[in-house]
Amino acid sequence: MLRLNLVLLLAVLASALYLVSTQYESRRLYVELEKATAHSRQIETDNERLQLEKRAQATPLRVEKLARDRLQMRTATPAITQYVTYQEAAVAGVPHE
């Protein structure tokens, strides 16, 4: 009878220790999951902010302003446009395809 009681006591202690370690691991994984979820939300927020900034930077008015200021480009007008016809290209020695 004493052997049976000792075996049962050891079985109860082993199952109790296993239960404690399982609960600890479960809590640790839950905290890790919450951290990953928070990090994911932060990345999504950053992505939305960057997409908004990208759209703001690519507006036609801003691109035109940068082209004028930094590249010294100007709008094409008939006064500064030079048209090339096929005959002029042949005379100039430009091969045609």
Side-chain angles (χ1 to χ4, degrees):
M1 186 73 166
L2 183 61
R3 283 187 184 165
L4 179 62
N5 285 342
L6 283 176
V7 169
L8 291 175
L9 178 63
L10 288 176
V12 167
L13 286 175
S15 68
L17 289 175
Y18 180 73
L19 178 65
V20 168
S21 69
T22 303
Q23 285 179 339
Y24 173 77
E25 184 67 15
S26 173
R27 288 184 184 128
R28 187 186 66 77
L29 289 174
Y30 180 76
V31 168
E32 192 175 319
L33 176 65
E34 287 298 313
K35 285 180 184 178
T37 303
H39 186 66
S40 173
R41 274 189 248 121
Q42 179 64 38
I43 288 174
E44 287 176 7
T45 303
D46 289 346
N47 185 36
E48 289 173 7
R49 181 182 53 81
L50 289 172
Q51 291 295 329
L52 182 64
E53 286 180 16
K54 180 181 168 185
R55 285 191 297 270
Q57 295 290 324
T59 60
L61 185 62
R62 184 172 187 286
V63 171
E64 184 178 343
K65 184 178 182 314
L66 287 174
R68 286 177 194 238
D69 296 345
R70 291 191 185 169
L71 303 175
Q72 284 79 37
M73 295 178 81
R74 58 185 179 201
T75 306
T77 62
I80 60 172
T81 304
Q82 183 177 12
Y83 297 96
V84 179
T85 62
Y86 178 72
Q87 287 80 18
E88 290 175 11
V91 172
V94 177
H96 67 281
E97 297 177 11

